[in-house]
Amino acid sequence: MTAQRKVAAGLLAGIVVLAPGALASPAIAATTPAEAPAGTTLKLALTADIDSLNPFKAILASSTSILALQYQNLVAYGSENNAEVPGMAESWKTSDDGTVWTFHLPADREWSDGEPITAQDAEWTFQAIQNNDELKQANGALLTSVEKVEATDDETLVMTLAEPQAPNPGTQLPIMPEHVWSQVDDPAAFMNDTDAVGSGPFTVVNYDKTAGVTMKANPNFWQGEAKISGITFAPYKNSDAAVQALKTGELDVVNGLTPAQFQALENEPGITTNAGTGRRYQAIAINPGTETADGTAMGDGNAALHDVELRRAIAMAIDSATLLEKVMQGLGEEATGEVPAAYPVYQMDDTDLSLAYDPEAANALLDTAGYPMGADGLRVDKNGTPLELRLMGRNTDPIHQQMADYVKPWLKVIGIDVSTVMKASAQVNDDSVLGNYDLYFTGWGMGPDPDFQLSMNQCSSRPNADGTGATSENNFCSADFDALFLEQHSELDQDTRSELVNDAQQMIYDAAVNKVLYYANALEAYRSDRFEPFTTQPAQGGVITGQNGPWGYYSATPVGLASTGSESDAGGNPFVVGVPIALAVIIGAGAFLFIRRRRSTADERA
Amino acid sequence: MTQLLVDEAAAPVRAPRRGSSWLRYIGLKAGGAAVSLVMVVMLGFFAFRILPGDPVRSLADGRQVTAEQMDILRRQYGLDQPMLVQFWRYLTDLFQGKLGESYTYNRPVMELILDRIGPTLLLTGTAALLSVVLGLWLGQRAAWRRGSAFDKAQTGIALVFWSVPTFWLGLLLLLIFGGGLRWFPTGGMVTAGSTETGLPLIWDVARHLVLPVLTLVAVVYAQYLMVMRASLLEEMTSAYLVTARAKGLREDDVRRGHAVPNALLPTVTLIFLTLGGLVGGAVTVETVFSWPGLGYLTFQALSAPDYPLLQGTFVVFSAIVVVMNFFADVMYRVLDPRLRTA
C-alpha cells in the first residue's frame, strides 16, 4: 500500500465508523408513525434552538411558543382583540378589594390522555413553583404577589394575593397535569419532550435535534379537535433558507421575515403574505442620568442630557415616519407611547404628541434653554463644551446601522454632533444597564397587559451598582410615576385603568427618556394553496404566528384533503435527484479511467 | 482561536534528530500536547469571563423576572461565588470528566456536545475526505503538467472558490439547487417530522448532505491542491526521477511510484492539522443549511454567554486539535523512513 492509499483508507474508515453514529439517532427510530394522511400537517420553521420543553424551565421564545400550544392558562387572551377570555377556567370573579380571585373550572374537561382536568392540577402547579426554587426559572415572577393558592373542590380554585391587583393572575401561568408531574422524581430535570400530556390544542409527540418537534392535535381540547392532524417544527437556522423552503413547499408558514423577503414573496403563486400588527415598539433611549436603586449616580452618560429640555429637543429632531418608510418599507405603524397599537385598550392616545418631528421647534427650544449655536453649526452645553453624543446599536441588527445613518444628520440640524457605534448584543446589554451610553436603540415586545412594562419604570426597578438587581427600562425615576403605577396596578375598573395607563405613558413620553419610533409589523407568509386563511389576532390586521394564544395554528384548515401536488415538489422523488447524481458518477468514473489508461512515456514530457 | 492553537502546537521541532528513539519521540510530543491541553483548560475558564454580558440578565432578557429570581439563578449557577472558587469547581469537575451544566439548556454540557458532534463529524468528515481526494489528485496532476492549460485552469478555479465567502457560496447553491431546481432540500439533516429508519433514512440524510458538503469541499479543497502541487514541483527536479525514467518506466508510473509518495509528506501533515480544525470550522455552513451540529450550539453559548457551554465546546474543540497535531507528528515519522532509523 502506498502512503497515499494508506491515508485515503484511514480517512474512509474514519467516515464509515462515524457515519452510523451520526445517523442512528435513537429518537428518530422511536418516533411513532403519524396516523393522519400526509398534507394535513402544518409545517413551520423552528428558527431558534429549543432550550427545554419543560414549562418550568423553558425561556427561549421558540420553546415557549410551542408550549403555549400544549398548555392552557386559567385565563386566555382571545383572538378577536386580545381581551381576557375563558381558558382552563370557565369563569372567574374578584373580591371587592381585589385580593381574592376565584376561578371556576368546568367538570367535563379532560387532559389529552383522558384524565379529568381539576382545580387540584392548578393548585399543584402553583405550589410546585412556590416550594422549589429550581422551578421558578420560567414563571417565578408571577408568584411574588400570590400568597396562597387553594383548590376548595375539583372545580374551584381560590387565589389569595398579598395586595390588590388589576392584572388577572390567571393569564400567565401554564397549568400542568398533576397526575403526570407528581410522578416525576425531579420535575426540574424532566425533559417532557416525548408524548407529552397537555390541555391545549396540540401536544408534543417527539422532539429531536435533527428532525425537529412534532405535535399532534389533542382530541380532548375543549373547543374541539383541530382540523389539521398536527404541526411539525423543522429546524431552520437561516431565514433565507426558510423562505426557499416555503417556495418549494417544505414549509407551510414562515415568520420573522425582513421587509425585503416579505416583498419578494408577495407575488409568488400559492403563497399569501401577511403583515400583522406588531407587539413590539422600536425606540431610541436617551440617558437621563443613570442611577442605582439607592440613587447613586452611575455610568458615563453625557451630563448635559440630565436637562429634560435638551432630551425633548433631541426627540423632536428625529423623524420616525421617515425611519418607518425607509428602513421598514412602511411595514409598521407610527408610534404614540410604549404600548403598541395591537393593544388599543392601553395604547397612548395622540392628544398630546408634543415631541412629534419638528426641527424648527427643536432649534427654538434649544435657543431658549441656553444651548447657543456656535459658528461651526454645533451647539455648546451650559459649561461651554460642544454637544457631542454617542449613539449605540447592536451589530447583530442591520436596522440599527440603517437608522443611525438617518439620525446622525437630523441631530446635526439642531447642532448636535453624533458618533455612532455598533456593539455586540451582550455589550449593549451591559452598557445600557450600567448607564454607559448617551443614546441607544432599544425595543420591547409586549403582552396584552401593560403592568409589567410600566413596572420597569419605577424607581425601585433601577439596578445595583454592579448591574445586578431589578431591570429598568430607561432608568427612569419619578415619585409621581410610582404613585400612578400603583394606582393602575390595583384599579379594577377597565376604563379608569386605561386612563391611568395612558397618563403613565404620557409621563414617560414627556420626560423624553424613550423616543418610541414605531411598531413594526410582524411579517409572515403561508402556503394558501395548502391551508386556508388563518384566524389572526386581533381579527383585523392581526398576526398568525406569535399570538397570545394558540388560535392561529388551531384555526389552520387544509385546502381539500386530497391535495398532494406540493408533496412531490419537496424533492421526495428519488429519480429527480438520483439521475443527475448517477450521471455525474458515470461521467466522473469514465474520465478517471480514460486518464489512467493513457500510456504516456518519458519522451512525451513537455 | 483554534487556528492559533494549531500554529502554536505545530511550531515545536517537526523533524527530530536522526536516531532518536520512538519512545523518546512520542514522549516528547505527548508532553507537548499535554502542556497545550493544560493551557487550554486554564484559558477556557478565564477567557470567557472577560466577555461582556451577564448570563443571568440575558436569561431574563425581555421576560418578566424579579430581582429575587435572578438572585436564585446566580446562586444556582454559583455565579455569586468568588472567581477562584468558581475556577476550583470547574477544575475539580473537569477531572471527574464533567463539563458542568449549561445555563441555557439546563442539561449537562457533555450531553449537549455528544448530541451534536455526530452530525458535525458526518458533515465535516465527508467534506474532508472528498476535498482531500479531489485536492491531492488535481494537485499532483497540475504539478506534473505545470504551466499547461490544465494547471492554470485547475489552480485558477480552486483559488476562486477558496476566496469566495463560504456563507455566500452556500446561499447561492441553496438558491439554485434547493429553491430553484428543487433537486435538494433547503435545510436540515433529515426531513422534519420524518419517521423513516434504515435505508430510506440514509437516503434522506444523503440528500440533505449534498449541498453543505459541496459548499465545504469547494471552499477548502484548494489548500490541498496547492500544497500537493508545490511539494510535487519540488520533487520533480530530483535526480531519482531521472533514474526512474532511465529504467524505462512509463511517465505515469514515475509520477505515481516515485514522485508522489515523496511529495505526500508535507501534505499529510497539513491534512491532519486541518482535520482538527474542521470540527469547529463548519459553523457558517451549518448555519446556512440549518445543519444540527455544534456550530449553532457554540453561537447560542456565545450570545448568552453560557460559560459552562462555552468552556465545554472550547475544551473539546481544542483537545481535538491538539490530539490531531500529535497524530500528525507521529504520522510524519511513520511515513518518512529517514526519521526512524533507530
Side-chain angles (χ1 to χ4, degrees):
Chain A
M1 232 189 197
T2 64
Q4 185 181 12
R5 288 192 184 130
K6 270 187 205 158
V7 174
L11 281 172
L12 190 63
I15 303 294
V16 169
V17 170
L18 293 171
L23 294 175
S25 174
I28 300 177
T31 313
T32 47
E35 285 158 316
T40 60
T41 300
L42 189 69
K43 283 174 291 194
L44 299 156
L46 185 63
T47 45
D49 250 14
I50 300 280
D51 52 348
S52 168
L53 288 174
N54 179 331
F56 295 110
K57 287 289 190 181
I59 287 172
L60 299 182
S62 48
S63 316
T64 53
S65 65
I66 288 172
L67 291 170
L69 301 172
Q70 178 163 298
Y71 299 109
Q72 290 182 285
N73 302 337
L74 288 167
V75 178
Y77 292 111
S79 59
E80 181 62 31
N81 58 1
N82 279 303
E84 288 164 7
V85 296
M88 225 166 196
E90 189 178 47
S91 60
W92 53 93
K93 60 180 196 293
T94 318
S95 66
D96 289 341
D97 65 352
T99 54
V100 180
W101 291 67
T102 309
F103 298 88
H104 179 251
L105 286 79
D108 55 345
R109 292 195 190 158
E110 292 174 351
W111 293 101
S112 57
D113 63 354
E115 291 290 317
I117 294 175
T118 67
Q120 277 85 10
D121 290 313
E123 184 191 88
W124 183 87
T125 309
F126 275 93
Q127 288 184 348
I129 296 179
Q130 251 170 351
N131 299 334
N132 185 347
D133 276 355
E134 284 200 60
L135 300 184
K136 289 192 171 68
Q137 182 160 326
N139 296 302
L142 302 165
L143 293 185
T144 45
S145 56
V146 178
E147 217 157 57
K148 197 170 67 170
V149 176
E150 196 182 1
T152 51
D153 59 54
D154 279 359
E155 295 171 36
T156 313
L157 185 80
V158 179
M159 216 183 279
T160 312
L161 308 183
E163 53 186 21
Q165 78 171 46
N168 192 322
T171 53
Q172 299 296 311
L173 185 72
I175 305 297
M176 300 301 118
E178 182 188 2
H179 68 280
V180 174
W181 286 78
S182 59
Q183 305 302 312
V184 176
D185 286 340
D186 180 8
F190 185 39
M191 305 282 283
N192 195 37
D193 58 1
T194 324
D195 294 325
V197 175
S199 57
F202 300 97
T203 55
V204 170
V205 179
N206 184 51
Y207 165 51
D208 177 83
K209 256 73 63 193
T210 52
V213 180
T214 42
M215 303 188 89
K216 64 172 187 198
N218 171 8
N220 300 332
F221 183 53
W222 67 276
Q223 280 163 300
E225 189 174 355
K227 293 183 246 6
I228 51 174
S229 61
I231 301 178
T232 302
F233 289 89
Y236 273 86
K237 310 291 184 223
N238 162 12
S239 68
D240 288 314
V243 168
Q244 294 304 316
L246 181 75
K247 286 192 194 170
T248 64
E250 285 166 90
L251 293 176
D252 297 315
V253 182
V254 295
N255 61 0
L257 298 172
T258 64
Q261 290 168 336
F262 182 82
Q263 287 169 340
L265 284 172
E266 272 176 328
N267 298 318
E268 282 286 320
I271 291 175
T272 301
T273 51
N274 179 46
T277 324
R279 284 108 206 282
R280 194 179 170 77
Y281 74 71
Q282 176 68 55
I284 296 176
I286 308 174
N287 190 345
T290 310
E291 290 175 351
T292 63
D294 58 15
T296 316
M298 70 193 292
D300 64 5
N302 191 319
L305 291 172
H306 296 186
D307 180 7
V308 65
E309 301 298 331
L310 175 60
R311 298 200 301 271
R312 288 173 65 88
I314 290 171
M316 289 158 74
I318 296 169
D319 179 4
S320 28
T322 299
L323 289 179
L324 180 59
E325 191 51 46
K326 299 290 185 191
V327 178
M328 298 304 299
Q329 321 299 330
L331 294 164
E333 257 175 274
E334 249 194 281
T336 55
E338 293 187 356
V339 177
Y343 309 119
V345 183
Y346 294 112
Q347 198 198 2
M348 193 178 99
D349 61 39
D350 55 3
T351 50
D352 182 17
L353 298 181
S354 55
L355 303 182
Y357 178 57
D358 190 346
E360 283 95 46
N363 264 318
L365 180 62
L366 290 176
D367 287 340
T368 53
Y371 297 92
M373 182 78 90
D376 55 355
L378 287 183
R379 292 180 187 274
V380 292
D381 67 17
K382 289 170 179 170
N383 300 323
T385 320
L387 275 177
E388 289 167 350
L389 301 177
R390 300 156 297 165
L391 172 59
M392 175 169 74
R394 289 169 205 266
N395 57 16
T396 45
D397 196 339
I399 283 176
H400 289 178
Q401 182 61 57
Q402 288 178 42
M403 289 199 290
D405 291 342
Y406 285 96
V407 172
K408 195 177 153 76
W410 286 338
L411 290 185
K412 191 81 176 219
V413 169
I414 61 165
I416 297 174
D417 191 38
V418 172
S419 58
T420 62
V421 54
M422 297 297 139
K423 295 180 180 174
S425 227
Q427 185 71 55
V428 173
N429 289 347
D430 278 4
D431 285 348
S432 56
V433 169
L434 298 173
N436 294 326
Y437 67 96
D438 297 328
L439 313 167
Y440 83 101
F441 291 107
T442 181
W444 281 86
M446 246 181 262
D449 196 292
D451 192 69
F452 166 61
Q453 202 65 34
L454 293 178
S455 75
M456 286 189 298
N457 288 290
Q458 297 175 95
C459 295
S460 58
S461 291
R462 294 173 300 172
N464 301 326
D466 60 356
T468 62
T471 305
S472 176
E473 202 179 37
N474 300 103
N475 207 274
F476 180 66
C477 175
S478 145
D480 290 345
F481 180 90
D482 285 1
L484 205 52
F485 170 78
L486 286 177
E487 208 180 334
Q488 72 76 33
H489 182 74
S490 55
E491 176 56 61
L492 294 171
D493 178 70
Q494 181 64 67
D495 290 341
T496 315
R497 182 162 180 236
S498 292
E499 267 175 47
L500 292 168
V501 170
N502 190 73
D503 293 349
Q505 289 183 80
Q506 187 77 49
M507 205 177 274
I508 298 171
Y509 181 93
D510 291 338
V513 290
N514 200 25
K515 164 79 177 177
V516 184
L517 304 167
Y518 55 78
Y519 320 118
N521 283 336
L523 304 178
E524 314 163 319
Y526 60 93
R527 301 264 359 163
S528 43
D529 56 352
R530 304 191 67 210
F531 295 93
E532 274 169 2
F534 298 76
T535 299
T536 61
Q537 182 189 46
Q540 288 301 312
V543 286
I544 296 167
T545 65
Q547 296 187 350
N548 302 301
W551 319 118
Y553 303 143
Y554 175 60
S555 65
T557 310
V559 178
L561 289 172
S563 87
T564 50
S566 47
E567 282 298 288
S568 60
D569 281 354
N573 186 351
F575 292 103
V576 176
V577 188
V579 170
I581 290 180
L583 275 177
V585 169
I586 291 166
I587 292 171
F592 182 69
L593 287 175
F594 173 76
I595 293 165
R596 265 183 73 94
R597 294 252 163 94
R598 244 184 17 167
R599 313 240 150 173
S600 52
T601 65
D603 294 336
E604 290 170 24
R605 238 173 94 224
Chain B
M1 247 173 286
T2 48
Q3 195 51 52
L4 200 133
L5 281 161
V6 169
D7 296 342
E8 279 177 359
V13 202
R14 171 79 12 87
R17 279 170 293 115
R18 281 174 72 108
S20 62
S21 74
W22 262 109
L23 209 63
R24 193 183 131 79
Y25 180 74
I26 290 185
L28 205 69
K29 293 295 169 191
V35 170
S36 305
L37 269 180
V38 170
M39 296 297 291
V40 160
V41 165
M42 301 277 194
L43 204 67
F45 181 84
F46 291 102
F48 296 121
R49 295 294 192 284
I50 304 170
L51 281 178
D54 172 352
V56 170
R57 201 170 272 285
S58 82
L59 279 176
D61 199 17
R63 298 187 310 126
Q64 184 164 358
V65 174
T66 60
E68 299 83 63
Q69 244 180 308
M70 289 202 256
D71 286 343
I72 291 174
L73 287 175
R74 283 204 174 84
R75 262 204 312 282
Q76 271 176 28
Y77 300 151
L79 289 169
D80 54 343
Q81 304 286 324
M83 188 78 96
L84 279 177
V85 177
Q86 292 185 44
F87 184 56
W88 180 246
R89 250 178 68 175
Y90 164 75
L91 280 185
T92 48
D93 273 3
L94 206 61
F95 277 112
Q96 297 168 48
K98 286 188 284 192
L99 290 174
E101 184 155 319
S102 155
Y103 303 158
T104 321
Y105 296 88
N106 297 296
R107 285 181 61 203
V109 169
M110 195 54 112
E111 253 179 70
L112 289 167
I113 292 178
L114 287 179
D115 265 356
R116 286 162 175 81
I117 203 164
T120 293
L121 286 180
L122 176 67
L123 172 64
T124 54
T126 313
L129 178 68
L130 291 179
S131 46
V132 165
V133 170
L134 184 73
L136 295 194
W137 189 68
L138 288 176
Q140 46 112 348
R141 294 211 72 94
W144 205 251
R145 298 158 63 185
R146 66 188 180 286
S148 69
F150 177 86
D151 179 25
K152 282 176 188 155
Q154 287 308 330
T155 34
I157 293 170
L159 288 178
V160 165
F161 278 126
W162 171 256
S163 334
V164 158
T166 316
F167 191 79
W168 181 80
L169 181 67
L171 268 183
L172 207 66
L173 290 177
L174 192 145
L175 283 176
I176 296 170
F177 296 105
L181 295 170
R182 303 188 182 187
W183 288 0
F184 301 105
T186 49
M189 186 169 102
V190 294
T191 305
S194 157
T195 54
E196 309 277 21
T197 50
L199 270 182
L201 174 65
I202 293 176
W203 173 249
D204 193 32
V205 173
R207 284 181 54 237
H208 283 82
L209 195 59
V210 173
L211 290 183
V213 163
L214 206 59
T215 312
L216 264 183
V217 169
V219 173
V220 300
Y221 87 94
Q223 54 181 331
Y224 303 114
L225 187 154
M226 294 316 283
V227 170
M228 187 67 208
R229 184 177 175 277
S231 49
L232 188 59
L233 278 180
E234 270 179 37
E235 297 297 327
M236 276 173 69
T237 49
S238 305
Y240 68 87
L241 293 187
V242 177
T243 316
R245 287 193 186 99
K247 286 193 293 186
L249 288 181
R250 281 197 316 269
E251 190 66 3
D252 274 359
D253 290 335
V254 174
R255 175 169 56 84
R256 278 205 296 269
H258 294 271
V260 168
N262 282 304
L264 264 180
L265 285 172
T267 323
V268 168
T269 320
L270 170 80
I271 291 171
F272 271 90
L273 292 183
T274 49
L275 278 186
L278 264 177
V279 178
V283 179
T284 338
V285 173
E286 286 188 0
T287 311
V288 172
F289 293 99
S290 311
W291 196 260
L294 283 171
Y296 195 75
L297 192 70
T298 317
F299 172 76
Q300 190 77 39
L302 263 174
S303 52
D306 190 335
Y307 295 137
L309 192 50
L310 276 174
Q311 286 155 193
T313 46
F314 181 72
V315 167
V316 169
F317 284 164
S318 313
I320 291 174
V321 172
V322 170
V323 168
M324 279 299 173
N325 282 352
F326 174 69
F327 278 143
D329 285 335
V330 175
M331 205 60 187
Y332 199 79
R333 207 177 146 105
V334 171
L335 290 176
D336 191 346
R338 288 168 298 185
L339 295 180
R340 47 183 151 98
T341 41

